[in-house]
Amino acid sequence: MTTSPEVSVVIPTYNEREKILSLIDQIGHALGDTALEIVVVDDDSPDGTAGAVEQRAQTDPRIRLIRRRNERGLGAAVCEGFRCAHGRYLAVMDADHSHDPMLLGPLLAELRGGVAIAVGSRRVPGGGAEKWPWFRRQYSDVATRVARLWLNTLLSDPMSGYFMLQRELYESVCGELNPKGYKILLEIVTRGRPASIKELPFIFKDRKQGESKLTLRISLQYFQMLWQLRSYSVPFAWRARPGRRADSLRFARRTLDPDTMSQW
């Protein structure tokens, strides 16, 4: 690119050939004349996702492809994309069209106004899900409640994978991140303690093609991450309330019970 981008949109992919090019077009439309960089981080998809992106990049200098041949994991792919991005503001979204690109403009407006991180949320007024199978909703409800109990987070939707942040915030925590699994937002917020967070409503659309990212292993990695992060955010006042701590631990044990997990 001849001009430094204002925004870098990172899109992790695995087997998204049927979706990625139309998403790139929609991102360009949503951000209009904004100096833009689109960083596709592909985990060596066997369906030819990387080849399709590479071909488009030959005629569109805004597009960059990072192909990870011996690595896997959405969280790690996001971090790799952020590390290689050139934009002042860094955004991440899913490749499967579950995140509406038209929210990128409002997210960007919040960051231009000085907000440290802006998040697309399903759990603020106006947000929600177009189709949300009961087991996915149950998992999200449980994961959100545990995050609030253990980490005292103010995020209404800590499971969100759609957000934009100031580069300085990412750089302040990048050396500490341990991006296992696929939920990197909560780790950035917990470790970085941003001065301001803005959550904007959006409607989550269930993927129509490709494979769901939610597996039992990924779920366990999420709860492991919460446990590791608890020392960063739990205030002394909360620690001094053993009743609440005991309640949260009992809730976590029920949550991680194999019979409950098998229903997800």
Side-chain angles (χ1 to χ4, degrees):
M1 298 183 64
T2 57
T3 304
S4 291
E6 182 181 19
V7 182
S8 295
V9 180
V10 173
I11 311 172
T13 59
Y14 186 76
N15 287 346
E16 300 287 1
R17 180 184 175 90
E18 300 300 320
K19 291 274 191 175
I20 187 62
L21 297 184
S22 59
L23 178 62
I24 288 172
D25 291 339
Q26 291 177 32
I27 291 171
H29 174 72
L31 289 176
D33 295 332
T34 302
L36 171 66
E37 173 185 57
I38 299 173
V39 183
V40 178
V41 185
D42 184 68
D43 281 1
D44 203 18
S45 301
D47 74 340
T49 299
V53 173
E54 191 171 36
Q55 184 174 6
R56 174 65 68 86
Q58 293 176 2
T59 57
D60 189 341
R62 300 174 303 174
I63 301 172
R64 295 176 58 205
L65 172 67
I66 299 172
R67 191 168 187 172
R68 305 196 316 157
R69 297 185 183 276
N70 299 309
E71 299 176 83
R72 291 290 186 272
L74 192 144
V78 172
C79 288
E80 179 72 7
F82 283 172
R83 185 182 67 83
C84 297
H86 298 125
R88 177 180 178 185
Y89 308 122
L90 307 175
V92 62
M93 64 187 303
D94 286 352
D96 59 12
H97 291 229
S98 57
H99 297 156
D100 184 359
M102 293 308 294
L103 187 64
L104 288 169
L107 293 175
L108 175 58
E110 295 293 340
L111 266 67
R112 284 172 171 169
V115 169
I117 183 167
V119 181
S121 175
R122 299 162 293 183
R123 295 179 178 274
V124 295
E130 191 176 72
K131 293 180 180 179
W132 214 353
W134 71 268
F135 58 91
R136 294 284 298 273
R137 180 180 291 276
Q138 180 182 4
Y139 172 78
S140 181
D141 290 345
V142 167
T144 297
R145 184 175 176 186
V146 173
R148 288 176 176 173
L149 286 170
W150 286 4
L151 303 183
N152 202 33
T153 181
L154 297 179
L155 288 168
S156 71
D157 192 359
M159 300 290 289
S160 178
Y162 192 10
F163 58 92
M164 187 182 296
L165 73 162
Q166 304 275 354
R167 169 178 287 278
E168 292 80 5
L169 174 57
Y170 171 70
E171 290 179 344
S172 72
V173 299
C174 62
E176 304 175 68
L177 297 178
N178 183 24
K180 293 182 179 180
Y182 71 112
K183 294 303 178 186
I184 195 69
L185 168 65
L186 187 56
E187 187 171 10
I188 290 174
V189 169
T190 301
R191 294 184 187 275
R193 300 182 181 182
S196 52
I197 301 173
K198 180 68 175 182
E199 295 188 279
L200 301 180
F202 85 106
I203 302 298
F204 180 87
K205 300 178 181 178
D206 197 29
R207 62 184 296 123
K208 297 179 176 61
Q209 294 173 311
E211 301 174 358
S212 173
K213 305 177 187 72
L214 182 59
T215 65
L216 178 59
R217 182 175 64 86
I218 291 296
S219 300
L220 291 172
Q221 287 176 341
Y222 173 79
F223 288 105
Q224 181 184 35
M225 179 193 71
L226 293 185
W227 186 255
Q228 293 170 344
L229 289 175
R230 71 194 188 285
S231 62
Y232 279 82
S233 62
V234 181
F236 290 110
W238 187 87
R239 289 182 179 178
R241 296 170 62 185
R244 183 177 178 185
R245 187 173 186 178
D247 288 344
S248 70
L249 291 175
R250 283 194 293 270
F251 179 79
R253 291 191 189 102
R254 291 197 302 270
T255 299
L256 296 174
D257 180 79
D259 292 336
T260 302
M261 297 286 284
S262 66
Q263 299 177 21
W264 299 348

